[in-house]
């Protein structure tokens, strides 16, 4: 460690690690760790090809909420809901058939 040039011997600076003036130190430290990590080359290639996850989510939501796409999104939700209802009823009917109660299937569908 080296002493500061100001003459105050109680304040010390680790040379080569962090500058004493300007900028957000936490951000500089985080950047240094990110640059020093072994995943840095992969991250730089990935970030050049694809936007960040949050940016991609914002773009996706922007596309979904355009006025022309809202009915399509609504129809997809309806398709998923009625697919779930169909599978639920099919499972119930399969259980009734396994129990030998096929005549109850028609009665349940007519309710």
């Amino acid at each position: 460690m080296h002493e500061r040039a100001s003459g105050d011997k109680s304040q010390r600076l680790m040379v080569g690690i962090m500058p004493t003036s300007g900028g957000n130190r936490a951000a500089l430290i985080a950047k240094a760790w990110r640059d020093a990590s072994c995943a840095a080359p992969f991250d730089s290639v990935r970030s050049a090809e694809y936007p960040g996850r949050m940016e991609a989510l914002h773009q996706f939501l922007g596309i979904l909420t355009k006025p022309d796409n809202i009915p399509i999104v609504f129809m997809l939700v309806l398709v998923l809901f009625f697919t779930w209802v169909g599978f639920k009823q099919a499972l119930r009917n399969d259980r009734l058939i396994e129990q030998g109660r096929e005549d109850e299937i028609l009665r349940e569908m007519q309710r």
Side-chain angles (χ1 to χ4, degrees):
M1 287 204 268
H2 298 280
E3 296 177 10
R4 283 190 179 194
S6 66
D8 185 7
K9 295 184 190 260
S10 64
Q11 295 180 350
R12 298 185 185 267
L13 169 70
M14 294 179 64
V15 176
I17 300 220
M18 285 299 295
T20 58
S21 63
N24 183 353
R25 289 184 182 215
L28 290 173
I29 291 172
K31 183 180 181 317
W33 277 104
R34 213 174 27 247
D35 292 343
S37 71
C38 61
F42 302 111
D43 290 341
S44 63
V45 169
R46 189 178 335 140
S47 65
E49 292 178 8
Y50 303 106
R53 287 184 180 178
M54 290 307 294
E55 183 181 342
L57 179 63
H58 288 294
Q59 288 176 356
F60 180 70
L61 291 176
I63 292 169
L64 286 182
T65 57
K66 289 196 187 254
D68 290 343
N69 295 338
I70 290 175
I72 297 168
V73 172
F74 183 67
M75 285 187 289
L76 286 174
V77 170
L78 285 176
V79 165
L80 291 174
F81 172 74
F82 285 112
T83 302
W84 172 76
V85 168
F87 276 113
K88 182 178 174 186
Q89 289 178 349
L91 182 63
R92 184 183 311 144
N93 292 343
D94 288 345
R95 288 183 182 156
L96 288 174
I97 291 171
E98 286 176 358
Q99 295 172 359
R101 302 178 349 194
E102 291 92 4
D103 55 335
E104 292 180 24
I105 295 173
L106 183 59
R107 273 189 245 130
E108 279 196 31
M109 287 195 291
Q110 291 174 344
R111 277 197 268 168

